[in-house]
Amino acid sequence: HAKRGGRDGFRIYLDSMTNEAHELMSKSSGLKQALINQELFVDYQPQFDIQTGLIVGAEALVRWQHPTKGRLMPSEFLEIAEQTGIIVDIDDYVFDLVFHDLKLLMQQDLVSQDFKLSVNLSGRKLFSKALLENLKTYHERAPEVTNRMILELTERDMITKLDRCIESIENIKRLGFRVAIDDFGIGYSSLGALKQLPVDILKIDQSFISGLDEGSVDNVITDSILNIARSLDLCAVAEGVETEAQLQALRSIGCHVAQGYYLSHPITKDAFITMLSNTAAG
Ligand code: C2E
Ligand code: CA
Ligand code: CA
Ligand code: CA
């Protein structure tokens, strides 16, 4: 009867809440376990000098080889990692992987003198006290390796606390790391803010690149971003190049470095090593 139905309805409501909370809890404890069990790894997306065709670097992108769900992409676990703060540990873990991979690539003479490896850092990480100490330890261990690492931070994360951010970036750069602004152009930072940020590289967000077409407004925007980069003495990297037409448009406006599915998808470390061996970059 009515009373029973009501209670069942309530139970269904509770169950669905429990499911959501359960999903969150299981994913976050799963992530902690993933770190312990070393289920996280990175793929590398090569970056090319699109005027010469040479590989000039790569970006490390984290993946999770889940014991039951298979391979998970950042969109499936980074949000929970951000919410729970586990992202800070993930960033440490990924940094360590990338440091060792770069060291290996250099020892095996697979990369050219100016090859750089990029790693993403969350905003939380940028403002964590341990970051600088941690980077310092790596720098002291092998400055020839850390000198070739680029730390990517999103424009949004940088401008929320501009003053603190400038200070952190200055400290990071003193240790010889380079710093890139990721997803540039969509984070609403003013040019005044950009001028104050002591960064080395602008990564042009893929939303502009995907719109590159004859006579489109995105051509004008991308051209302007390149000009801004040149006048502030920054390198520009175009992200998300998916077609020959986009590549041609970038070449014609004088862009040098690009990454994207058209050039290469993110690939496993082993596949990347094979690619480097075949192109004999060293
Ligand atoms: P992001 O740093 O902007 O990385 C570029 C993303 O675009 C990657 O997605 C990459 O696979 C994808 N991509 C590359 N070329 C193309 C293309 O031509 N077309 C399209 N549509 N997409 C392309 P992914 O690997 O899923 O990573 C998503 C985001 O997760 C990254 O965006 C970054 O913000 C974050 N992330 C990845 N790894 C890490 C990490 O180790 N630490 C932190 N804190 N964040 C990470
Ligand atoms: Ca990035
Ligand atoms: Ca990006
Ligand atoms: Ca992005």
Side-chain angles (χ1 to χ4, degrees):
H1 44 71
K3 215 174 176 184
R4 227 189 122 203
R7 196 161 43 200
D8 282 353
F10 187 57
R11 180 178 301 145
I12 290 163
Y13 170 72
L14 265 184
D15 281 351
S16 73
M17 267 199 27
T18 314
N19 279 343
E20 246 175 60
H22 183 262
E23 174 78 18
L24 191 90
M25 271 179 55
S26 88
K27 264 213 178 145
S28 77
S29 68
L31 266 174
K32 280 183 196 149
Q33 207 55 46
L35 283 165
I36 297 165
N37 297 348
Q38 310 194 340
E39 293 160 10
L40 298 181
F41 65 100
V42 296
D43 278 346
Y44 288 104
Q45 184 171 40
Q47 298 171 322
F48 296 85
D49 180 325
I50 57 175
Q51 311 284 348
T52 65
L54 295 173
I55 297 172
V56 293
E59 175 177 7
L61 295 157
V62 69
R63 277 90 181 86
W64 178 7
Q65 190 62 46
H66 193 281
T68 56
K69 292 178 188 153
R71 213 173 105 115
L72 301 179
M73 300 300 278
S75 60
E76 297 168 278
F77 62 90
L78 278 194
E79 204 180 310
I80 287 168
E82 289 272 0
Q83 285 164 9
T84 54
I86 299 170
I87 188 72
V88 174
D89 302 313
I90 293 179
D91 283 347
D92 280 343
Y93 185 82
V94 168
F95 182 95
D96 191 68
L97 283 181
V98 173
F99 171 86
H100 285 100
D101 285 350
L102 179 55
K103 198 167 163 191
L104 184 102
L105 295 177
M106 288 170 67
Q107 280 166 351
Q108 300 192 345
D109 217 13
L110 286 167
V111 291
S112 64
Q113 277 307 311
D114 38 48
F115 178 92
K116 308 267 185 332
L117 213 43
S118 298
V119 56
N120 291 286
L121 284 191
S122 65
R124 268 191 200 248
K125 191 78 220 173
L126 177 67
F127 296 118
S128 88
K129 279 212 183 93
L131 176 68
L132 201 67
E133 280 311 307
N134 201 18
L135 293 178
K136 205 169 158 191
T137 309
Y138 284 95
H139 165 74
E140 279 161 5
R141 246 205 282 172
E144 72 285 5
V145 177
T146 56
N147 283 345
R148 305 240 221 143
M149 293 179 81
I150 298 171
L151 306 178
E152 296 192 0
L153 289 146
T154 66
E155 183 184 16
R156 201 177 307 263
D157 283 335
M158 286 191 183
I159 59 162
T160 48
K161 296 173 187 158
L162 189 62
D163 287 345
R164 273 184 68 193
C165 186
I166 292 168
E167 200 187 315
S168 295
I169 295 175
E170 274 167 355
N171 289 331
I172 291 170
K173 288 194 53 178
R174 246 172 243 131
L175 295 172
F177 293 89
R178 284 174 180 76
V179 177
I181 304 190
D182 205 352
D183 302 347
F184 183 77
I186 56 165
Y188 325 108
S189 68
S190 67
L191 294 178
L194 179 63
K195 198 178 77 178
Q196 291 179 65
L197 284 166
V199 297
D200 308 280
I201 297 135
L202 283 190
K203 295 196 75 177
I204 307 171
D205 191 71
Q206 61 188 45
S207 58
F208 301 112
I209 308 305
S210 67
L212 287 183
D213 209 336
E214 242 176 291
S216 92
V217 68
D218 284 325
N219 289 44
V220 180
I221 295 176
T222 305
D223 194 21
S224 309
I225 295 177
L226 283 172
N227 282 324
I228 292 167
R230 280 186 208 109
S231 46
L232 294 174
D233 213 13
L234 308 175
C235 296
V237 177
E239 282 197 285
V241 179
E242 290 181 346
T243 67
E244 175 66 28
Q246 290 164 5
L247 187 64
Q248 283 305 340
L250 287 167
R251 282 197 186 111
S252 70
I253 55 178
C255 179
H256 277 275
V257 183
Q259 62 187 93
Y261 294 166
Y262 183 71
L263 299 160
S264 168
H265 276 256
I267 53 180
T268 63
K269 171 182 154 182
D270 289 343
F272 185 51
I273 288 176
T274 304
M275 182 187 273
L276 288 170
S277 317
N278 292 338
T279 53

